[in-house]
Amino acid sequence: MLNIVLFGPPGAGKGTQSEKLIVKYSLTHLSTGDLFRKNISEGTELGLRAQQYMDEGNLVPDEVVIAMVEDKVKSTANTSGFIFDGFPRTVAQAEALDKLMVENGTPISLMLALSVDEDELLDRLLKRGKISERADDQDPEKIKNRFAVYRSETTPVADYYDTQGKLFNIVGSGTIDGIFADLTKTIDSNV
Ligand code: AMP
């Protein structure tokens, strides 16, 4: 099993690279943001609980996110592994994920952390907001709040995996194919 945490700030290219990685390695894509958006569009109770946090660019409470990920992992049979995209975003989530995957007999293999500077991220997100209609990608103030939340609550997650010797940093600016090549080289030489 190959279980990857794909890490990085909003707009770093996690979704784009996940789509390519799942094809190459036959993995299951688990994006917590996508799962929340699906629940919101279906009008589920989970979606209702998440919406306000997402609209403001704040994190959905850990227990809500963790329960959703547990459900998804436990209900996925016959996979070669997972790409966790946008999760974990807090150290509490990282600890819960470790526990879940160890219980499952399929621990996290490595974390790939994409880095892109904030000016480029802001530019990318505003462009995405124009085509995706994602409300949280349209307001520069909300985007900046997401960056602030990322810096304060999410960056410690990289240290968490670094302590386990599982952190690999990848430059996330450049061409999509160039970044993909760096990601696959890192995976192939470290698992
Ligand atoms: P994303 O699509 O990953 O940018 O996530 C969009 C929004 O969903 C975030 O701004 C959060 O409000 C919420 N969200 C997604 N993943 C998580 C997570 N792991 N923990 C808390 N909130 C999350």
Side-chain angles (χ1 to χ4, degrees), residues 10-11 14 31-34 36-37 50-51 53-62 65 68-69 85-90 93 125 128 134 136-137 146:
K14 301 186 294 293
S31 156
T32 43
D34 285 354
F36 283 133
R37 281 183 288 277
Q51 181 144 35
Y53 298 99
M54 293 176 72
D55 284 348
E56 285 161 13
N58 291 321
L59 295 184
V60 177
D62 284 338
V65 190
M68 180 175 77
V69 171
D85 162 2
F87 177 88
R89 262 176 157 99
T90 64
Q93 291 179 16
L125 289 169
R128 185 169 79 183
R134 268 183 66 169
D136 62 347
D137 282 344
R146 283 155 70 202

PDB file of all heavy atoms in Angstrom, residues 10-11 14 31-34 36-37 50-51 53-62 65 68-69 85-90 93 125 128 134 136-137 146, ligand 1:
ATOM      1  N   PRO A  10      -3.491  26.475   0.372  1.00  0.00           N
ATOM      2  CA  PRO A  10      -4.544  26.565  -0.634  1.00  0.00           C
ATOM      3  C   PRO A  10      -3.957  27.081  -1.947  1.00  0.00           C
ATOM      4  O   PRO A  10      -3.206  28.060  -1.950  1.00  0.00           O
ATOM      5  CB  PRO A  10      -5.529  27.593  -0.056  1.00  0.00           C
ATOM      6  CG  PRO A  10      -5.252  27.630   1.411  1.00  0.00           C
ATOM      7  CD  PRO A  10      -3.797  27.277   1.576  1.00  0.00           C
ATOM      8  N   GLY A  11      -4.251  26.397  -3.056  1.00  0.00           N
ATOM      9  CA  GLY A  11      -3.772  26.845  -4.360  1.00  0.00           C
ATOM     10  C   GLY A  11      -2.422  26.281  -4.748  1.00  0.00           C
ATOM     11  O   GLY A  11      -1.881  26.598  -5.811  1.00  0.00           O
ATOM     12  N   LYS A  14      -2.525  20.817  -5.118  1.00  0.00           N
ATOM     13  CA  LYS A  14      -2.739  19.472  -4.558  1.00  0.00           C
ATOM     14  C   LYS A  14      -3.779  18.698  -5.372  1.00  0.00           C
ATOM     15  O   LYS A  14      -3.583  17.522  -5.673  1.00  0.00           O
ATOM     16  CB  LYS A  14      -3.193  19.562  -3.083  1.00  0.00           C
ATOM     17  CG  LYS A  14      -2.196  20.282  -2.181  1.00  0.00           C
ATOM     18  CD  LYS A  14      -2.603  20.224  -0.720  1.00  0.00           C
ATOM     19  CE  LYS A  14      -3.879  20.968  -0.388  1.00  0.00           C
ATOM     20  NZ  LYS A  14      -3.800  22.445  -0.526  1.00  0.00           N
ATOM     21  N   SER A  31     -10.061  13.785  -0.860  1.00  0.00           N
ATOM     22  CA  SER A  31      -9.945  15.231  -0.629  1.00  0.00           C
ATOM     23  C   SER A  31     -11.069  15.644   0.316  1.00  0.00           C
ATOM     24  O   SER A  31     -12.251  15.524  -0.034  1.00  0.00           O
ATOM     25  CB  SER A  31     -10.068  15.990  -1.962  1.00  0.00           C
ATOM     26  OG  SER A  31     -10.510  17.318  -1.731  1.00  0.00           O
ATOM     27  N   THR A  32     -10.698  16.121   1.500  1.00  0.00           N
ATOM     28  CA  THR A  32     -11.737  16.505   2.461  1.00  0.00           C
ATOM     29  C   THR A  32     -12.536  17.705   1.940  1.00  0.00           C
ATOM     30  O   THR A  32     -13.756  17.758   2.134  1.00  0.00           O
ATOM     31  CB  THR A  32     -11.121  16.801   3.840  1.00  0.00           C
ATOM     32  OG1 THR A  32      -9.923  17.566   3.671  1.00  0.00           O
ATOM     33  CG2 THR A  32     -10.792  15.512   4.571  1.00  0.00           C
ATOM     34  N   GLY A  33     -11.869  18.644   1.255  1.00  0.00           N
ATOM     35  CA  GLY A  33     -12.595  19.791   0.689  1.00  0.00           C
ATOM     36  C   GLY A  33     -13.638  19.317  -0.326  1.00  0.00           C
ATOM     37  O   GLY A  33     -14.791  19.763  -0.311  1.00  0.00           O
ATOM     38  N   ASP A  34     -13.246  18.382  -1.208  1.00  0.00           N
ATOM     39  CA  ASP A  34     -14.199  17.855  -2.206  1.00  0.00           C
ATOM     40  C   ASP A  34     -15.356  17.138  -1.511  1.00  0.00           C
ATOM     41  O   ASP A  34     -16.512  17.278  -1.922  1.00  0.00           O
ATOM     42  CB  ASP A  34     -13.509  16.841  -3.149  1.00  0.00           C
ATOM     43  CG  ASP A  34     -12.603  17.521  -4.178  1.00  0.00           C
ATOM     44  OD1 ASP A  34     -12.590  18.768  -4.243  1.00  0.00           O
ATOM     45  OD2 ASP A  34     -11.891  16.788  -4.909  1.00  0.00           O
ATOM     46  N   PHE A  36     -16.558  17.689   1.468  1.00  0.00           N
ATOM     47  CA  PHE A  36     -17.460  18.690   2.061  1.00  0.00           C
ATOM     48  C   PHE A  36     -18.312  19.351   0.976  1.00  0.00           C
ATOM     49  O   PHE A  36     -19.518  19.523   1.158  1.00  0.00           O
ATOM     50  CB  PHE A  36     -16.673  19.760   2.829  1.00  0.00           C
ATOM     51  CG  PHE A  36     -16.174  19.298   4.174  1.00  0.00           C
ATOM     52  CD1 PHE A  36     -14.868  19.533   4.559  1.00  0.00           C
ATOM     53  CD2 PHE A  36     -17.017  18.640   5.064  1.00  0.00           C
ATOM     54  CE1 PHE A  36     -14.401  19.115   5.801  1.00  0.00           C
ATOM     55  CE2 PHE A  36     -16.561  18.215   6.306  1.00  0.00           C
ATOM     56  CZ  PHE A  36     -15.251  18.450   6.667  1.00  0.00           C
ATOM     57  N   ARG A  37     -17.683  19.726  -0.143  1.00  0.00           N
ATOM     58  CA  ARG A  37     -18.454  20.396  -1.200  1.00  0.00           C
ATOM     59  C   ARG A  37     -19.552  19.467  -1.737  1.00  0.00           C
ATOM     60  O   ARG A  37     -20.657  19.911  -2.034  1.00  0.00           O
ATOM     61  CB  ARG A  37     -17.525  20.878  -2.336  1.00  0.00           C
ATOM     62  CG  ARG A  37     -16.801  22.180  -1.981  1.00  0.00           C
ATOM     63  CD  ARG A  37     -15.951  22.704  -3.122  1.00  0.00           C
ATOM     64  NE  ARG A  37     -14.762  21.899  -3.338  1.00  0.00           N
ATOM     65  CZ  ARG A  37     -13.627  22.021  -2.645  1.00  0.00           C
ATOM     66  NH1 ARG A  37     -13.508  22.936  -1.709  1.00  0.00           N
ATOM     67  NH2 ARG A  37     -12.599  21.242  -2.887  1.00  0.00           N
ATOM     68  N   ALA A  50     -20.591  21.982   7.893  1.00  0.00           N
ATOM     69  CA  ALA A  50     -19.292  22.458   7.381  1.00  0.00           C
ATOM     70  C   ALA A  50     -19.377  23.829   6.709  1.00  0.00           C
ATOM     71  O   ALA A  50     -18.407  24.585   6.716  1.00  0.00           O
ATOM     72  CB  ALA A  50     -18.739  21.439   6.377  1.00  0.00           C
ATOM     73  N   GLN A  51     -20.556  24.142   6.155  1.00  0.00           N
ATOM     74  CA  GLN A  51     -20.637  25.276   5.228  1.00  0.00           C
ATOM     75  C   GLN A  51     -20.151  26.608   5.785  1.00  0.00           C
ATOM     76  O   GLN A  51     -19.372  27.310   5.140  1.00  0.00           O
ATOM     77  CB  GLN A  51     -22.067  25.430   4.720  1.00  0.00           C
ATOM     78  CG  GLN A  51     -22.171  26.602   3.728  1.00  0.00           C
ATOM     79  CD  GLN A  51     -23.130  26.337   2.615  1.00  0.00           C
ATOM     80  OE1 GLN A  51     -24.153  25.680   2.817  1.00  0.00           O
ATOM     81  NE2 GLN A  51     -22.819  26.821   1.436  1.00  0.00           N
ATOM     82  N   TYR A  53     -18.116  27.350   8.201  1.00  0.00           N
ATOM     83  CA  TYR A  53     -16.658  27.405   8.374  1.00  0.00           C
ATOM     84  C   TYR A  53     -15.981  27.619   7.026  1.00  0.00           C
ATOM     85  O   TYR A  53     -15.046  28.410   6.906  1.00  0.00           O
ATOM     86  CB  TYR A  53     -16.137  26.101   8.999  1.00  0.00           C
ATOM     87  CG  TYR A  53     -16.684  25.819  10.366  1.00  0.00           C
ATOM     88  CD1 TYR A  53     -17.737  24.933  10.550  1.00  0.00           C
ATOM     89  CD2 TYR A  53     -16.145  26.444  11.487  1.00  0.00           C
ATOM     90  CE1 TYR A  53     -18.246  24.669  11.823  1.00  0.00           C
ATOM     91  CE2 TYR A  53     -16.640  26.196  12.756  1.00  0.00           C
ATOM     92  CZ  TYR A  53     -17.687  25.303  12.916  1.00  0.00           C
ATOM     93  OH  TYR A  53     -18.176  25.061  14.161  1.00  0.00           O
ATOM     94  N   MET A  54     -16.437  26.869   6.031  1.00  0.00           N
ATOM     95  CA  MET A  54     -15.797  26.958   4.713  1.00  0.00           C
ATOM     96  C   MET A  54     -15.994  28.339   4.103  1.00  0.00           C
ATOM     97  O   MET A  54     -15.063  28.906   3.536  1.00  0.00           O
ATOM     98  CB  MET A  54     -16.368  25.880   3.786  1.00  0.00           C
ATOM     99  CG  MET A  54     -15.992  24.494   4.245  1.00  0.00           C
ATOM    100  SD  MET A  54     -16.722  23.209   3.248  1.00  0.00           S
ATOM    101  CE  MET A  54     -15.799  23.347   1.725  1.00  0.00           C
ATOM    102  N   ASP A  55     -17.206  28.866   4.227  1.00  0.00           N
ATOM    103  CA  ASP A  55     -17.487  30.186   3.647  1.00  0.00           C
ATOM    104  C   ASP A  55     -16.554  31.245   4.218  1.00  0.00           C
ATOM    105  O   ASP A  55     -16.173  32.183   3.537  1.00  0.00           O
ATOM    106  CB  ASP A  55     -18.936  30.595   3.915  1.00  0.00           C
ATOM    107  CG  ASP A  55     -19.900  29.841   3.005  1.00  0.00           C
ATOM    108  OD1 ASP A  55     -19.419  29.205   2.047  1.00  0.00           O
ATOM    109  OD2 ASP A  55     -21.116  29.876   3.268  1.00  0.00           O
ATOM    110  N   GLU A  56     -16.195  31.088   5.483  1.00  0.00           N
ATOM    111  CA  GLU A  56     -15.335  32.100   6.108  1.00  0.00           C
ATOM    112  C   GLU A  56     -13.844  31.784   5.971  1.00  0.00           C
ATOM    113  O   GLU A  56     -12.998  32.548   6.420  1.00  0.00           O
ATOM    114  CB  GLU A  56     -15.713  32.235   7.588  1.00  0.00           C
ATOM    115  CG  GLU A  56     -17.031  32.997   7.727  1.00  0.00           C
ATOM    116  CD  GLU A  56     -17.706  32.793   9.069  1.00  0.00           C
ATOM    117  OE1 GLU A  56     -17.058  32.262   9.984  1.00  0.00           O
ATOM    118  OE2 GLU A  56     -18.879  33.164   9.164  1.00  0.00           O
ATOM    119  N   GLY A  57     -13.548  30.642   5.388  1.00  0.00           N
ATOM    120  CA  GLY A  57     -12.140  30.266   5.225  1.00  0.00           C
ATOM    121  C   GLY A  57     -11.533  29.722   6.505  1.00  0.00           C
ATOM    122  O   GLY A  57     -10.314  29.702   6.668  1.00  0.00           O
ATOM    123  N   ASN A  58     -12.389  29.279   7.435  1.00  0.00           N
ATOM    124  CA  ASN A  58     -11.891  28.677   8.676  1.00  0.00           C
ATOM    125  C   ASN A  58     -11.944  27.155   8.584  1.00  0.00           C
ATOM    126  O   ASN A  58     -12.603  26.598   7.696  1.00  0.00           O
ATOM    127  CB  ASN A  58     -12.745  29.146   9.862  1.00  0.00           C
ATOM    128  CG  ASN A  58     -12.519  30.621  10.138  1.00  0.00           C
ATOM    129  OD1 ASN A  58     -11.387  31.116  10.039  1.00  0.00           O
ATOM    130  ND2 ASN A  58     -13.584  31.336  10.455  1.00  0.00           N
ATOM    131  N   LEU A  59     -11.268  26.501   9.520  1.00  0.00           N
ATOM    132  CA  LEU A  59     -11.263  25.039   9.496  1.00  0.00           C
ATOM    133  C   LEU A  59     -12.547  24.473  10.092  1.00  0.00           C
ATOM    134  O   LEU A  59     -13.053  24.981  11.102  1.00  0.00           O
ATOM    135  CB  LEU A  59     -10.069  24.490  10.282  1.00  0.00           C
ATOM    136  CG  LEU A  59      -8.681  24.798   9.725  1.00  0.00           C
ATOM    137  CD1 LEU A  59      -7.605  24.099  10.564  1.00  0.00           C
ATOM    138  CD2 LEU A  59      -8.556  24.364   8.263  1.00  0.00           C
ATOM    139  N   VAL A  60     -13.053  23.424   9.481  1.00  0.00           N
ATOM    140  CA  VAL A  60     -14.170  22.666  10.032  1.00  0.00           C
ATOM    141  C   VAL A  60     -13.622  21.943  11.277  1.00  0.00           C
ATOM    142  O   VAL A  60     -12.456  21.503  11.273  1.00  0.00           O
ATOM    143  CB  VAL A  60     -14.676  21.659   8.963  1.00  0.00           C
ATOM    144  CG1 VAL A  60     -15.795  20.787   9.513  1.00  0.00           C
ATOM    145  CG2 VAL A  60     -15.130  22.413   7.706  1.00  0.00           C
ATOM    146  N   PRO A  61     -14.424  21.829  12.359  1.00  0.00           N
ATOM    147  CA  PRO A  61     -13.886  21.210  13.578  1.00  0.00           C
ATOM    148  C   PRO A  61     -13.315  19.808  13.337  1.00  0.00           C
ATOM    149  O   PRO A  61     -13.855  19.030  12.545  1.00  0.00           O
ATOM    150  CB  PRO A  61     -15.102  21.150  14.510  1.00  0.00           C
ATOM    151  CG  PRO A  61     -16.002  22.247  14.027  1.00  0.00           C
ATOM    152  CD  PRO A  61     -15.794  22.326  12.544  1.00  0.00           C
ATOM    153  N   ASP A  62     -12.219  19.525  14.056  1.00  0.00           N
ATOM    154  CA  ASP A  62     -11.497  18.262  13.874  1.00  0.00           C
ATOM    155  C   ASP A  62     -12.408  17.036  13.924  1.00  0.00           C
ATOM    156  O   ASP A  62     -12.293  16.136  13.095  1.00  0.00           O
ATOM    157  CB  ASP A  62     -10.425  18.107  14.969  1.00  0.00           C
ATOM    158  CG  ASP A  62      -9.205  18.974  14.712  1.00  0.00           C
ATOM    159  OD1 ASP A  62      -8.985  19.364  13.549  1.00  0.00           O
ATOM    160  OD2 ASP A  62      -8.466  19.251  15.673  1.00  0.00           O
ATOM    161  N   VAL A  65     -14.281  16.407  10.683  1.00  0.00           N
ATOM    162  CA  VAL A  65     -13.411  15.996   9.577  1.00  0.00           C
ATOM    163  C   VAL A  65     -12.927  14.553   9.790  1.00  0.00           C
ATOM    164  O   VAL A  65     -12.953  13.727   8.875  1.00  0.00           O
ATOM    165  CB  VAL A  65     -12.164  16.913   9.476  1.00  0.00           C
ATOM    166  CG1 VAL A  65     -11.405  16.646   8.195  1.00  0.00           C
ATOM    167  CG2 VAL A  65     -12.539  18.368   9.562  1.00  0.00           C
ATOM    168  N   MET A  68     -15.510  11.897   9.130  1.00  0.00           N
ATOM    169  CA  MET A  68     -15.767  11.757   7.695  1.00  0.00           C
ATOM    170  C   MET A  68     -14.655  10.940   7.018  1.00  0.00           C
ATOM    171  O   MET A  68     -14.921  10.059   6.189  1.00  0.00           O
ATOM    172  CB  MET A  68     -15.874  13.149   7.061  1.00  0.00           C
ATOM    173  CG  MET A  68     -16.141  13.149   5.584  1.00  0.00           C
ATOM    174  SD  MET A  68     -16.385  14.824   4.945  1.00  0.00           S
ATOM    175  CE  MET A  68     -14.692  15.414   4.870  1.00  0.00           C
ATOM    176  N   VAL A  69     -13.395  11.202   7.392  1.00  0.00           N
ATOM    177  CA  VAL A  69     -12.270  10.475   6.796  1.00  0.00           C
ATOM    178  C   VAL A  69     -12.307   9.005   7.220  1.00  0.00           C
ATOM    179  O   VAL A  69     -12.085   8.102   6.393  1.00  0.00           O
ATOM    180  CB  VAL A  69     -10.925  11.135   7.183  1.00  0.00           C
ATOM    181  CG1 VAL A  69      -9.744  10.273   6.773  1.00  0.00           C
ATOM    182  CG2 VAL A  69     -10.810  12.517   6.546  1.00  0.00           C
ATOM    183  N   ASP A  85      -5.629  14.577   0.482  1.00  0.00           N
ATOM    184  CA  ASP A  85      -5.447  15.902  -0.120  1.00  0.00           C
ATOM    185  C   ASP A  85      -6.253  16.901   0.723  1.00  0.00           C
ATOM    186  O   ASP A  85      -7.472  16.792   0.826  1.00  0.00           O
ATOM    187  CB  ASP A  85      -5.948  15.797  -1.577  1.00  0.00           C
ATOM    188  CG  ASP A  85      -6.252  17.125  -2.252  1.00  0.00           C
ATOM    189  OD1 ASP A  85      -6.062  18.187  -1.644  1.00  0.00           O
ATOM    190  OD2 ASP A  85      -6.709  17.085  -3.420  1.00  0.00           O
ATOM    191  N   GLY A  86      -5.539  17.837   1.344  1.00  0.00           N
ATOM    192  CA  GLY A  86      -6.229  18.806   2.209  1.00  0.00           C
ATOM    193  C   GLY A  86      -6.502  18.252   3.599  1.00  0.00           C
ATOM    194  O   GLY A  86      -7.248  18.835   4.375  1.00  0.00           O
ATOM    195  N   PHE A  87      -5.913  17.140   3.909  1.00  0.00           N
ATOM    196  CA  PHE A  87      -6.056  16.476   5.203  1.00  0.00           C
ATOM    197  C   PHE A  87      -4.772  15.699   5.458  1.00  0.00           C
ATOM    198  O   PHE A  87      -4.283  15.066   4.528  1.00  0.00           O
ATOM    199  CB  PHE A  87      -7.251  15.510   5.157  1.00  0.00           C
ATOM    200  CG  PHE A  87      -7.432  14.728   6.435  1.00  0.00           C
ATOM    201  CD1 PHE A  87      -8.200  15.238   7.472  1.00  0.00           C
ATOM    202  CD2 PHE A  87      -6.829  13.483   6.603  1.00  0.00           C
ATOM    203  CE1 PHE A  87      -8.364  14.523   8.652  1.00  0.00           C
ATOM    204  CE2 PHE A  87      -6.979  12.770   7.780  1.00  0.00           C
ATOM    205  CZ  PHE A  87      -7.758  13.287   8.804  1.00  0.00           C
ATOM    206  N   PRO A  88      -4.213  15.679   6.658  1.00  0.00           N
ATOM    207  CA  PRO A  88      -4.620  16.421   7.855  1.00  0.00           C
ATOM    208  C   PRO A  88      -4.213  17.893   7.816  1.00  0.00           C
ATOM    209  O   PRO A  88      -3.185  18.247   7.246  1.00  0.00           O
ATOM    210  CB  PRO A  88      -3.875  15.695   8.968  1.00  0.00           C
ATOM    211  CG  PRO A  88      -2.693  15.054   8.324  1.00  0.00           C
ATOM    212  CD  PRO A  88      -3.067  14.780   6.920  1.00  0.00           C
ATOM    213  N   ARG A  89      -5.021  18.738   8.436  1.00  0.00           N
ATOM    214  CA  ARG A  89      -4.746  20.176   8.483  1.00  0.00           C
ATOM    215  C   ARG A  89      -4.448  20.655   9.898  1.00  0.00           C
ATOM    216  O   ARG A  89      -4.200  21.846  10.100  1.00  0.00           O
ATOM    217  CB  ARG A  89      -5.957  20.941   7.965  1.00  0.00           C
ATOM    218  CG  ARG A  89      -5.875  21.371   6.496  1.00  0.00           C
ATOM    219  CD  ARG A  89      -7.206  22.013   6.168  1.00  0.00           C
ATOM    220  NE  ARG A  89      -7.236  22.930   5.080  1.00  0.00           N
ATOM    221  CZ  ARG A  89      -7.641  22.617   3.853  1.00  0.00           C
ATOM    222  NH1 ARG A  89      -7.950  21.380   3.536  1.00  0.00           N
ATOM    223  NH2 ARG A  89      -7.746  23.550   2.946  1.00  0.00           N
ATOM    224  N   THR A  90      -4.505  19.768  10.865  1.00  0.00           N
ATOM    225  CA  THR A  90      -4.104  20.097  12.247  1.00  0.00           C
ATOM    226  C   THR A  90      -3.325  18.885  12.771  1.00  0.00           C
ATOM    227  O   THR A  90      -3.463  17.769  12.232  1.00  0.00           O
ATOM    228  CB  THR A  90      -5.314  20.318  13.180  1.00  0.00           C
ATOM    229  OG1 THR A  90      -6.042  19.091  13.284  1.00  0.00           O
ATOM    230  CG2 THR A  90      -6.231  21.425  12.697  1.00  0.00           C
ATOM    231  N   GLN A  93      -5.593  16.109  13.755  1.00  0.00           N
ATOM    232  CA  GLN A  93      -6.022  15.290  12.603  1.00  0.00           C
ATOM    233  C   GLN A  93      -4.925  14.318  12.186  1.00  0.00           C
ATOM    234  O   GLN A  93      -5.191  13.168  11.829  1.00  0.00           O
ATOM    235  CB  GLN A  93      -6.395  16.187  11.412  1.00  0.00           C
ATOM    236  CG  GLN A  93      -7.661  17.009  11.617  1.00  0.00           C
ATOM    237  CD  GLN A  93      -7.994  17.903  10.426  1.00  0.00           C
ATOM    238  OE1 GLN A  93      -7.481  17.723   9.321  1.00  0.00           O
ATOM    239  NE2 GLN A  93      -8.860  18.880  10.634  1.00  0.00           N
ATOM    240  N   LEU A 125      -5.568  31.369  -6.974  1.00  0.00           N
ATOM    241  CA  LEU A 125      -6.891  31.145  -6.366  1.00  0.00           C
ATOM    242  C   LEU A 125      -7.929  32.082  -6.958  1.00  0.00           C
ATOM    243  O   LEU A 125      -9.062  31.679  -7.225  1.00  0.00           O
ATOM    244  CB  LEU A 125      -6.812  31.319  -4.845  1.00  0.00           C
ATOM    245  CG  LEU A 125      -6.056  30.196  -4.129  1.00  0.00           C
ATOM    246  CD1 LEU A 125      -5.792  30.568  -2.680  1.00  0.00           C
ATOM    247  CD2 LEU A 125      -6.815  28.882  -4.194  1.00  0.00           C
ATOM    248  N   ARG A 128      -8.845  30.670 -10.216  1.00  0.00           N
ATOM    249  CA  ARG A 128      -9.705  29.494 -10.038  1.00  0.00           C
ATOM    250  C   ARG A 128     -11.118  29.937  -9.645  1.00  0.00           C
ATOM    251  O   ARG A 128     -12.102  29.363 -10.095  1.00  0.00           O
ATOM    252  CB  ARG A 128      -9.105  28.576  -8.959  1.00  0.00           C
ATOM    253  CG  ARG A 128      -9.855  27.282  -8.782  1.00  0.00           C
ATOM    254  CD  ARG A 128      -9.100  26.311  -7.912  1.00  0.00           C
ATOM    255  NE  ARG A 128      -9.221  26.614  -6.493  1.00  0.00           N
ATOM    256  CZ  ARG A 128      -8.606  25.937  -5.523  1.00  0.00           C
ATOM    257  NH1 ARG A 128      -7.807  24.923  -5.819  1.00  0.00           N
ATOM    258  NH2 ARG A 128      -8.768  26.251  -4.265  1.00  0.00           N
ATOM    259  N   ARG A 134     -16.202  28.725  -6.813  1.00  0.00           N
ATOM    260  CA  ARG A 134     -16.013  28.485  -5.380  1.00  0.00           C
ATOM    261  C   ARG A 134     -16.017  29.822  -4.652  1.00  0.00           C
ATOM    262  O   ARG A 134     -15.152  30.660  -4.895  1.00  0.00           O
ATOM    263  CB  ARG A 134     -14.668  27.773  -5.150  1.00  0.00           C
ATOM    264  CG  ARG A 134     -14.779  26.265  -5.137  1.00  0.00           C
ATOM    265  CD  ARG A 134     -13.450  25.624  -4.847  1.00  0.00           C
ATOM    266  NE  ARG A 134     -12.960  25.902  -3.494  1.00  0.00           N
ATOM    267  CZ  ARG A 134     -11.932  25.271  -2.958  1.00  0.00           C
ATOM    268  NH1 ARG A 134     -11.297  24.343  -3.633  1.00  0.00           N
ATOM    269  NH2 ARG A 134     -11.541  25.568  -1.734  1.00  0.00           N
ATOM    270  N   ASP A 136     -15.205  30.566  -1.719  1.00  0.00           N
ATOM    271  CA  ASP A 136     -14.024  30.845  -0.897  1.00  0.00           C
ATOM    272  C   ASP A 136     -12.800  31.219  -1.723  1.00  0.00           C
ATOM    273  O   ASP A 136     -11.764  31.581  -1.186  1.00  0.00           O
ATOM    274  CB  ASP A 136     -13.725  29.668   0.061  1.00  0.00           C
ATOM    275  CG  ASP A 136     -13.396  28.359  -0.644  1.00  0.00           C
ATOM    276  OD1 ASP A 136     -13.624  28.247  -1.865  1.00  0.00           O
ATOM    277  OD2 ASP A 136     -12.917  27.431   0.037  1.00  0.00           O
ATOM    278  N   ASP A 137     -12.912  31.147  -3.061  1.00  0.00           N
ATOM    279  CA  ASP A 137     -11.798  31.544  -3.932  1.00  0.00           C
ATOM    280  C   ASP A 137     -12.025  32.924  -4.560  1.00  0.00           C
ATOM    281  O   ASP A 137     -11.277  33.329  -5.444  1.00  0.00           O
ATOM    282  CB  ASP A 137     -11.627  30.540  -5.083  1.00  0.00           C
ATOM    283  CG  ASP A 137     -10.926  29.264  -4.640  1.00  0.00           C
ATOM    284  OD1 ASP A 137     -10.318  29.259  -3.559  1.00  0.00           O
ATOM    285  OD2 ASP A 137     -10.995  28.284  -5.397  1.00  0.00           O
ATOM    286  N   ARG A 146      -7.509  32.215   4.869  1.00  0.00           N
ATOM    287  CA  ARG A 146      -7.111  30.807   4.702  1.00  0.00           C
ATOM    288  C   ARG A 146      -5.588  30.662   4.806  1.00  0.00           C
ATOM    289  O   ARG A 146      -5.094  29.690   5.373  1.00  0.00           O
ATOM    290  CB  ARG A 146      -7.636  30.249   3.375  1.00  0.00           C
ATOM    291  CG  ARG A 146      -9.134  29.933   3.463  1.00  0.00           C
ATOM    292  CD  ARG A 146      -9.794  29.963   2.111  1.00  0.00           C
ATOM    293  NE  ARG A 146      -9.404  28.877   1.239  1.00  0.00           N
ATOM    294  CZ  ARG A 146      -9.513  28.932  -0.093  1.00  0.00           C
ATOM    295  NH1 ARG A 146      -9.940  30.018  -0.700  1.00  0.00           N
ATOM    296  NH2 ARG A 146      -9.171  27.885  -0.818  1.00  0.00           N
TER     297      ARG A 146
HETATM  298  P1  AMP B   1      -9.890  22.761   0.223  1.00  0.00           P
HETATM  299  O1  AMP B   1     -10.770  22.320  -0.894  1.00  0.00           O
HETATM  300  O2  AMP B   1      -8.941  21.699   0.678  1.00  0.00           O
HETATM  301  O3  AMP B   1      -9.215  24.079  -0.038  1.00  0.00           O
HETATM  302  O4  AMP B   1     -10.849  23.016   1.481  1.00  0.00           O
HETATM  303  C1  AMP B   1     -11.883  23.996   1.443  1.00  0.00           C
HETATM  304  C2  AMP B   1     -12.365  24.282   2.853  1.00  0.00           C
HETATM  305  O5  AMP B   1     -12.902  23.079   3.430  1.00  0.00           O
HETATM  306  C3  AMP B   1     -11.300  24.731   3.845  1.00  0.00           C
HETATM  307  O6  AMP B   1     -11.067  26.133   3.768  1.00  0.00           O
HETATM  308  C4  AMP B   1     -11.938  24.333   5.171  1.00  0.00           C
HETATM  309  O7  AMP B   1     -12.961  25.226   5.546  1.00  0.00           O
HETATM  310  C5  AMP B   1     -12.606  23.009   4.806  1.00  0.00           C
HETATM  311  N1  AMP B   1     -11.683  21.865   5.005  1.00  0.00           N
HETATM  312  C6  AMP B   1     -11.191  21.018   4.050  1.00  0.00           C
HETATM  313  N2  AMP B   1     -10.377  20.105   4.579  1.00  0.00           N
HETATM  314  C7  AMP B   1     -10.342  20.356   5.912  1.00  0.00           C
HETATM  315  C8  AMP B   1      -9.653  19.773   7.009  1.00  0.00           C
HETATM  316  N3  AMP B   1      -8.817  18.721   6.835  1.00  0.00           N
HETATM  317  N4  AMP B   1      -9.852  20.312   8.241  1.00  0.00           N
HETATM  318  C9  AMP B   1     -10.680  21.353   8.430  1.00  0.00           C
HETATM  319  N5  AMP B   1     -11.345  21.963   7.440  1.00  0.00           N
HETATM  320  C10 AMP B   1     -11.180  21.486   6.186  1.00  0.00           C
END
